Amino acid sequence: MRVNPKMTEYEFIEEIDDNFIFDEDREYEEAARAGAAISDNAALMVGYELAKGGSLASKEVNLALLGILAEGRPTPVVLAAVPVVKALLEGQPADAESVGKLLAACKEHTSAWSGLGILLCADESLEPEIDAIMERYRSADGG
């Protein structure tokens, strides 16, 4: 798999969706940097892969990727996703405050699709609210 910051958001997401597996730690780090360089949603897709257990890297590397995302893309929605994903990586439920912050950031965003996926990993009971946000995203996108 090859990822780079010159990919479109769609290309990046297609490349890592259910395929966030690399041979070396530096490749995971490069993918996180590339996602952060592309868009909020691409950075969040890295977070989503981590949240759902899609990475085969060590826990330490996965946690370091969150730092790369936060540093490379310090936007409200990405920063709100970090503590939620961190809790999930540590095998803990995300606290309600962190989930609430991510939900609010996703509501303010126009296309944080992967952030909504992180929310579903954290709390499946949010599905009806997430569906409503997705519908708003689709309406704003014209499709």
Side-chain angles (χ1 to χ4, degrees):
M1 173 179 7
R2 294 195 173 266
V3 297
N4 67 69
K6 295 186 187 219
M7 298 174 98
T8 66
E9 178 183 287
Y10 179 81
E11 291 169 335
F12 180 83
I13 289 172
E14 284 292 305
E15 189 69 29
I16 71 166
D17 187 24
D18 290 328
N19 193 32
F20 196 67
I21 301 167
F22 298 98
D23 294 327
E24 298 181 31
D25 292 348
R26 70 170 176 73
E27 293 174 290
Y28 284 97
E29 294 164 1
E30 289 168 5
R33 284 187 189 91
I38 293 168
S39 69
D40 286 351
N41 195 42
L44 291 167
M45 185 63 183
V46 173
Y48 175 63
E49 286 296 321
L50 296 173
K52 72 176 188 169
S55 171
L56 297 182
S58 69
K59 180 179 171 182
E60 292 76 22
V61 169
N62 287 336
L63 289 169
L65 298 180
L66 294 177
I68 291 170
L69 295 176
E71 183 179 308
R73 193 108 188 151
T75 61
V77 71
V78 172
L79 294 176
V82 168
V84 174
V85 176
K86 183 178 180 192
L88 296 173
L89 283 172
E90 292 176 340
Q92 303 295 320
D95 65 81
E97 182 180 350
S98 295
V99 171
K101 285 181 180 177
L102 179 55
L103 182 60
C106 287
K107 285 180 180 178
E108 292 294 317
H109 208 280
T110 57
S111 65
W113 298 93
S114 300
L116 298 174
I118 293 168
L119 283 165
L120 281 174
C121 290
D123 186 350
E124 290 180 3
S125 73
L126 292 172
E127 187 171 0
E129 193 165 359
I130 289 169
D131 286 346
I133 296 168
M134 285 182 177
E135 187 54 40
R136 183 176 56 79
Y137 286 176
R138 282 187 203 98
S139 296
D141 197 26

